[in-house]
Amino acid sequence: MTSGYRVWAEVFDSDGVVIGTVPSLASASVTKVLDGVGSVKITTPGTDKAALTLLTYEARVRVYVEQNGQVREIGRGIVRKPLTTDTSNGSTFAVDCPDELTEFKDISALLGRTYGAETPVALGSVVEALVGLVDGWTADVESGVYDNLVSLRLDGASIMKGLQTLAESYGLHLRQAVGSKTLEFGAFGEDTGLVILKTEHGSIRLHGNDDLALIENLQITGTSEHVVNRIYPVGGGEGLAAINLANSTRTSPYAIQSVAAPDGRTLRYIETGARPVREEVRRYKITPIANSAAAKVVADDALYDAAAEDLARSSVVQETYRVVLTKVRRNIQPGDTVHLTFKGVVTPVKESAPFVYRDVDGDFTVLEVSEDFSPNGAKTSLVISNVDRQMMTIEEEIIRSISDVESQQFEVKTFPYVFNDSWTDTIMALDSFGNFKTAVFTVPIPDVVTDVLKVLMRIRTLPMDSGSALRGEIGGGSHNFFSALYFAANSGFYPHQMTVEINGVDRTGALSGPWGVYTGAVDVEVDITDYIVNASGGLYQDHTIEFNCADQGVATNVRVYQFGSVIPSPITSTTSRGRVQISIMILGVAQAIQTT
């Protein structure tokens, strides 16, 4: 190992108890990644008994470096791939470790783990609860975002996936703190004060300044000119069952706007206002995590937040650089900010790509930090970007897509369903004797339903039937006899000028009523969606539908006995009576979750 620094490792068991030290490493390479799991790679001679004995499967490793009399921890990992290799130059023992954050990938959130189903809860409390599921870890959530309100449901995902989902949805980040099992969660962006310079002739003064780092090599690793300045967010669910900001209460930083889709549905979108418009429909795996009006607002607000963070980054041309530095003597964390000053030709990562000229003088977010210590010297390599989001390669996109497909079997999805039912009741207008009857129906909407998209009601009227009656006949001669026959008969009258109240509010005029005359039947279909979905008291209740009808009297001659004599008197009798039959068709949305 080149003089000027020393690298060694301390080894612990899975309970965090020290089991020994590997006093000298042939080489060490530590990579830390923003929002993900990094790696620790170390090598020793194949004859190093301490390394062979201590660095066994699942051992915990902490790597330290001493430079200029200062000792600092550069990384932690868990041994997963110990390997001895024999070459012509001798044997080498190499250990490949994911960093300690991999413990969050090893623990599952199981099924139905829910936070803030009905009322959003503090983001910090959710992060602390998730981190607390992994032994030995604590959470450090930035105070500026701790009280942000969020909701989250996890089904079959790892704790790491849950934390990454929270971070991605709200434009935040996660990483491990230096030197402890603490997961840091927040916006980050702390200015390290480090200035990265390209210089042809470094002076002694520059080499003694720890706030300056010198560029050995600068490569452009990616440029995304696929700018999107308008997003149509679509949440979880199939077809019309997908959520789309309809219930969102958000108004900032982008106003929610809408346009009619080709099939007539309403599409909602957010945009930066830049022109020309570059638009995309984007899907986010966000659904209501309970069946209630409050849960739908929570879900649509979460959808807005995720889309707004996505839009803020997608509307900017992203450039990412890998810069190799020769003079770094401090800890740099993913998520920190550094200042890059560079003017000249930038080397492309791929040999087939063209060289490009760049004049750069600005702040960049650190996406990845790699420190390498070998016999050839010490180097620090940073991946930095003008946008605080990883730019994925095609291979990484494919892996992510496969992961998403595999996770769908655990996701709670909304799907359309259709409900049909019919009810019949009798109705009669007020008659001369003060008798009347309304037809009353109840349409229940229970909380097994996530949402209702359409409610159609077919109204039909039928005449009143007599039920059963007794008919008597008397024979002639000296013998009287009685014959009883049971029969049913329909009246010739129908309800006249029917009106309707839905949940106690007269909706007759709005639905183009009243309907019917006493001499004819009614058969109409009306759309009552708005009166059910936006009913006073909310969607989840027993909705009442009540019909009344107007009087339509006719005069009839009825024999009336008064004081022993018959008085022919015309009596007015209502003919506005009959039966009302309604058929309700509900197109709704449901999801396979346990209701409260």
Side-chain angles (χ1 to χ4, degrees):
M1 191 71 75
T2 302
S3 62
Y5 63 85
R6 180 174 70 95
V7 183
W8 72 96
E10 289 187 358
V11 187
F12 301 74
D13 63 17
S14 57
D15 294 322
V17 178
V18 178
I19 57 176
T21 300
V22 181
S24 179
L25 302 177
S27 66
S29 176
V30 175
T31 299
K32 300 176 183 178
V33 180
L34 184 64
D35 301 331
V37 178
S39 64
V40 175
K41 298 179 182 180
I42 57 179
T43 61
T44 68
T47 56
D48 190 329
K49 291 185 178 180
L52 293 171
T53 302
L54 296 173
L55 298 177
T56 58
Y57 187 72
E58 287 300 308
R60 271 56 177 169
V61 180
R62 298 179 188 175
V63 181
Y64 298 87
V65 63
E66 182 179 7
Q67 290 177 291
N68 300 325
Q70 295 183 347
V71 175
R72 63 188 177 94
E73 180 183 311
I74 61 172
R76 300 182 174 199
I78 300 175
V79 177
R80 291 284 164 90
K81 294 180 181 179
L83 178 66
T84 301
T85 305
D86 291 317
T87 66
S88 58
N89 297 322
S91 62
T92 300
F93 180 57
V95 178
D96 196 347
C97 315
D99 70 27
E100 283 187 326
L101 285 176
T102 197
E103 291 184 323
F104 289 94
K105 296 177 67 176
D106 296 337
I107 303 298
S108 172
L110 305 179
L111 299 176
R113 188 175 297 278
T114 302
Y115 302 95
E118 294 285 347
T119 303
V121 295
L123 170 102
S125 66
V126 176
V127 173
E128 290 171 344
L130 289 173
V131 171
L133 297 173
V134 184
D135 288 342
W137 284 84
T138 58
D140 181 10
V141 183
E142 287 183 358
S143 59
V145 302
Y146 189 99
D147 292 326
N148 290 0
L149 298 179
V150 302
S151 63
L152 178 70
R153 179 186 175 101
L154 298 175
D155 287 281
S158 67
I159 301 301
M160 173 60 80
K161 185 64 176 179
L163 292 167
Q164 289 173 329
T165 298
L166 271 178
E168 183 177 355
S169 297
Y170 297 97
L172 303 173
H173 302 286
L174 62 93
R175 67 190 181 193
Q176 182 176 4
V178 176
S180 71
K181 294 186 73 169
T182 300
L183 183 129
E184 296 179 329
F185 197 97
F188 301 156
E190 179 182 353
D191 187 358
T192 61
L194 184 68
V195 177
I196 301 172
L197 297 172
K198 177 188 177 184
T199 179
E200 302 295 337
H201 306 287
S203 67
I204 295 176
R205 183 173 58 85
L206 287 177
H207 282 275
N209 188 344
D210 288 347
D211 289 332
L212 297 177
L214 305 181
I215 297 174
E216 179 179 289
N217 181 262
L218 180 69
Q219 292 178 304
I220 187 165
T221 63
T223 299
S224 175
E225 296 184 359
H226 178 60
V227 172
V228 174
N229 51 38
R230 176 185 290 178
I231 292 178
Y232 298 85
V234 178
E238 302 297 329
L240 291 174
I243 65 173
N244 66 353
L245 302 182
N247 300 291
S248 177
T249 62
R250 299 288 194 257
T251 58
S252 177
Y254 310 106
I256 299 175
Q257 303 180 62
S258 63
V259 65
D263 63 359
R265 81 179 75 178
T266 299
L267 291 180
R268 295 170 178 84
Y269 65 90
I270 56 176
E271 66 174 14
T272 63
R275 295 295 182 268
V277 172
R278 298 180 180 182
E279 60 185 9
E280 278 188 3
V281 176
R282 291 190 174 179
R283 172 158 315 251
Y284 304 85
K285 293 191 291 184
I286 297 173
T287 56
I289 53 180
N291 287 335
S292 69
K296 285 179 285 190
V297 171
V298 169
D300 273 10
D301 282 346
L303 177 62
Y304 177 95
D305 293 339
E309 294 295 341
D310 193 7
L311 181 60
R313 291 164 172 80
S314 297
S315 57
V316 178
V317 175
Q318 181 176 5
E319 287 199 337
T320 304
Y321 299 92
R322 179 176 293 277
V323 54
V324 179
L325 307 175
T326 58
K327 188 184 72 66
V328 177
R329 290 186 287 267
R330 62 169 65 178
N331 280 319
I332 301 174
Q333 283 282 76
D336 288 347
T337 298
V338 297
H339 190 89
L340 173 65
T341 299
F342 179 89
K343 181 183 292 187
V345 176
V346 180
T347 307
V349 172
K350 296 182 180 179
E351 293 183 0
S352 59
F355 287 78
V356 294
Y357 180 84
R358 287 289 185 271
D359 184 354
V360 182
D361 186 10
D363 292 332
F364 287 77
T365 298
V366 178
L367 303 181
E368 181 180 308
V369 182
S370 296
E371 293 190 88
D372 294 285
F373 299 88
S374 71
N376 297 323
K379 289 184 179 180
T380 299
S381 176
L382 305 180
V383 175
I384 61 177
S385 176
N386 61 325
V387 177
D388 61 334
R389 179 169 61 182
Q390 297 285 358
M391 184 181 290
M392 290 190 291
T393 64
I394 294 176
E395 292 79 8
E396 290 169 333
E397 289 278 10
I398 292 173
I399 292 173
R400 180 173 181 175
S401 297
I402 293 173
S403 177
D404 287 344
V405 170
E406 290 176 344
S407 68
Q408 285 182 3
Q409 59 184 312
F410 296 109
E411 290 179 21
V412 175
K413 297 181 179 179
T414 55
F415 55 88
Y417 83 96
V418 176
F419 168 83
N420 282 289
D421 208 347
S422 297
W423 300 270
T424 303
D425 197 8
T426 55
I427 188 172
M428 185 177 73
L430 183 67
D431 67 9
S432 302
F433 301 101
N435 300 307
F436 73 96
K437 183 180 183 300
T438 60
V440 182
F441 306 95
T442 300
V443 180
I445 305 291
D447 64 359
V448 296
V449 176
T450 303
D451 209 347
V452 169
L453 304 176
K454 179 75 72 174
V455 184
L456 299 178
M457 178 171 65
R458 182 182 181 186
I459 308 168
R460 299 177 64 211
T461 58
L462 304 167
M464 195 85 74
D465 69 51
S466 61
S468 59
L470 183 65
R471 181 177 183 178
E473 295 182 358
I474 300 177
S478 59
H479 301 284
N480 293 334
F481 63 90
F482 188 83
S483 175
L485 299 175
Y486 289 94
F487 71 97
N490 278 335
S491 166
F493 302 112
Y494 295 85
H496 180 75
Q497 295 291 287
M498 285 197 312
T499 60
V500 64
E501 291 184 1
I502 301 177
N503 293 315
V505 180
D506 192 311
R507 304 294 185 183
T508 307
L511 297 174
S512 302
W515 304 276
V517 295
Y518 73 100
T519 56
V522 171
D523 191 346
V524 298
E525 185 176 82
V526 294
D527 187 336
I528 62 171
T529 307
D530 186 54
Y531 310 128
I532 300 298
V533 172
N534 299 312
S536 175
L539 174 66
Y540 301 103
Q541 60 175 305
D542 289 343
H543 299 269
T544 59
I545 301 176
E546 182 173 358
F547 290 90
N548 208 330
C549 58
D551 179 39
Q552 179 61 41
V554 296
T556 59
N557 289 324
V558 179
R559 291 181 178 274
V560 177
Y561 288 86
Q562 186 176 13
F563 304 113
S565 61
V566 178
I567 303 174
S569 301
I571 295 179
T572 300
S573 175
T574 184
T575 57
S576 179
R577 60 180 180 267
R579 290 175 293 158
V580 180
Q581 182 185 79
I582 65 168
S583 298
I584 297 289
M585 188 283 288
I586 301 177
L587 174 61
V589 176
Q591 55 184 333
I593 64 174
Q594 183 175 345
T595 59
T596 56

